[in-house]
Amino acid sequence: MDTQDKLKLLQRASGLTQEKLAVALEVSFPTLNSWLNGKSIPRKKAAEKIDLLYLRFTGQNVIPDNVLQSKKESIAIESKKHRYVLQTIVKRNDLYNQLVLSLTYNSNKIEGSTLTEDDTAAILFENRSIPDKTIIEQMEAKNHQAALRFLFDRLVSGGTVDEAFVLRMHAILMNGIQTDAGSYRRYGVRIVGSNVVTANHLKVSALMRELAKEYETKTNDTLALVTRVHSRFEQIHPFSDGNGRVGRLLMNAMLLKNNLPPALIFQEARRFYMLYLNQSQTQGDFSRLEDFLCDAVLGAYTLLKVDEENDLGSLTAKEPEEVYGKILRKLAKAQRAA
């Protein structure tokens, strides 16, 4: 849920005028008005105050159905406008490269990589070695790029998203890094910093075969399915390492298979992503994670719109990167404050 939606729901639930709501949030009337109109976004402390007031007045820890439904309707409208998302991304080399960079940098950063986005770009597109960074981190970047290439090639050729696909993704991602790349773990693991109990390693294979039945399930609610599969995958935690990255690759494969763009999850919003994932696994509340992923998909449509509304092919080599980069920075900032 973005700041505008949250503030509007908060004002409706509290019955406060805009002036009194500004006082409750300890900000000026013009500042609150700017947030409500989407002209600016609150800083971290202000966003936390909004969250506390929202929970206080709504008495709920879940996203209202009408808010989720509204976002899903927006996604459905965009899906009808963009009937060939996968083909559009593959056809436009500048768009494809920007998505590969963003997905690789952010997914690895979420898992603790110290590479900057510039470092990642140099490794991916210039085959450079970064002197003060570990070989493992640089291999993780190149491997993630290779995994995305495999993902797109498989989907373009009409391949299925199944258990073999997931194992292959892990094999590529962990190539040269883990000795058990492409195989399920054979021992117990814990998710660092989480109270979520992972699956018994003896049951992993059976649980993954069961989960795989849902990867290409026909449904009228793709986002709900993707959210639940992603949550369950991460809770099973089938591999010794690389679960987060493989899980997000699987999630994006499912989205692309259903003519939706990949979810752009920025490292700036890691704490929200992890919090909502944890809530889905420990409380059975999928609404916040689903809402978060809806926003991530809607954000990706922004890149597709730019590609269509601007003749990027006529720009110089660097200009498309600047256009996409500016949009991605704005989306990351918004996601962090949402």
Side-chain angles (χ1 to χ4, degrees):
M1 183 189 301
D2 62 26
T3 302
Q4 286 175 283
D5 289 337
K6 192 176 291 183
L7 284 170
K8 288 175 183 177
L9 286 170
L10 172 57
Q11 190 171 10
R12 191 183 309 146
S14 65
L16 296 174
T17 63
Q18 194 167 323
E19 291 85 353
K20 290 184 178 180
L21 182 57
V23 172
L25 292 171
E26 300 179 328
V27 297
S28 66
F29 178 90
T31 296
L32 176 59
N33 190 59
S34 179
W35 294 344
L36 283 165
N37 292 319
K39 294 181 179 178
S40 65
I41 56 177
R43 294 177 182 271
K44 181 180 177 180
K45 288 186 178 180
E48 290 173 349
K49 286 183 181 178
I50 292 171
D51 285 341
L52 288 173
L53 276 180
Y54 178 83
L55 293 176
R56 173 187 167 190
F57 284 108
T58 63
Q60 59 188 6
N61 288 304
V62 299
I63 303 297
D65 289 340
N66 63 319
V67 174
L68 264 179
Q69 186 57 37
S70 176
K71 291 185 178 182
K72 289 179 182 179
E73 288 173 0
S74 296
I75 290 173
I77 291 171
E78 293 297 339
S79 182
K80 289 179 180 178
K81 292 179 183 177
H82 306 84
R83 295 186 178 276
Y84 305 100
V85 170
L86 181 62
Q87 291 79 0
T88 298
I89 293 172
V90 173
K91 182 178 68 175
R92 291 293 311 199
N93 193 55
D94 47 5
L95 175 59
Y96 174 81
N97 285 341
Q98 186 60 68
L99 283 172
V100 167
L101 174 59
S102 183
L103 293 171
T104 298
Y105 165 68
N106 285 291
S107 195
N108 283 339
K109 192 75 171 179
I110 286 171
E111 302 303 326
S113 173
T114 66
L115 294 177
T116 66
E117 191 165 17
D118 286 342
D119 290 338
T120 305
I123 293 167
L124 300 187
F125 308 124
E126 300 173 24
N127 289 316
R128 284 171 50 192
S129 177
I130 310 300
D132 59 342
K133 301 297 180 180
T134 68
I135 295 297
I136 294 296
E137 285 186 322
Q138 297 181 61
M139 289 177 66
E140 287 174 341
K142 289 298 290 184
N143 286 357
H144 195 279
Q145 180 187 36
L148 280 169
R149 170 49 67 188
F150 172 78
L151 185 157
F152 277 97
D153 286 347
R154 186 179 179 100
L155 296 184
V156 167
S157 65
T160 58
V161 178
D162 52 19
E163 186 180 15
F165 169 82
V166 172
L167 289 168
R168 181 61 178 155
M169 293 294 286
H170 186 260
I172 297 172
L173 195 67
M174 293 289 108
N175 180 39
I177 299 173
Q178 294 286 128
T179 57
D180 60 353
S183 301
Y184 294 136
R185 58 182 169 88
R186 298 181 177 86
Y187 49 85
V189 295
R190 293 187 61 187
I191 302 175
V192 178
S194 173
N195 59 345
V196 174
V197 178
T198 59
N200 184 306
H201 69 281
L202 297 174
K203 298 181 179 180
V204 166
S205 184
L207 290 171
M208 289 302 293
R209 282 197 301 272
E210 189 64 27
L211 185 64
K213 296 175 182 177
E214 299 189 50
Y215 296 162
E216 293 203 354
T217 298
K218 299 298 180 184
T219 176
N220 293 323
D221 197 342
T222 299
L223 266 301
L225 175 65
V226 168
T227 300
R228 281 159 177 73
V229 168
H230 184 57
S231 174
R232 183 60 177 148
F233 179 94
E234 298 302 341
Q235 186 167 13
I236 293 172
H237 231 60
F239 303 110
S240 60
D241 192 18
N243 292 284
R245 282 163 287 184
V246 174
R248 288 185 288 276
L249 287 166
L250 170 61
M251 173 180 67
N252 284 326
M254 291 177 66
L255 289 169
L256 286 163
K257 191 77 174 178
N258 285 277
N259 194 48
L260 297 175
L264 296 177
I265 301 177
F266 298 98
Q267 59 90 13
E268 290 90 341
R270 181 185 186 278
R271 66 188 179 98
F272 293 116
Y273 168 58
M274 293 300 184
L275 172 63
Y276 302 154
L277 186 58
N278 181 275
Q279 287 178 344
S280 71
Q281 295 163 339
T282 60
Q283 302 172 23
D285 170 22
F286 295 90
S287 63
R288 288 180 177 272
L289 180 60
E290 191 173 349
D291 180 79
F292 182 85
L293 294 181
C294 280
D295 286 338
V297 170
L298 286 169
Y301 273 121
T302 307
L303 292 183
L304 295 181
K305 288 179 183 178
V306 169
D307 186 55
E308 293 176 349
E309 295 171 2
N310 298 273
D311 183 14
L312 294 182
S314 66
L315 302 177
T316 64
K318 192 172 182 179
E319 286 174 328
E321 297 174 7
E322 293 174 348
V323 173
Y324 291 134
K326 183 177 181 180
I327 292 170
L328 287 166
R329 286 191 293 275
K330 184 176 180 181
L331 290 173
K333 186 177 181 181
Q335 194 175 91
R336 178 180 57 196

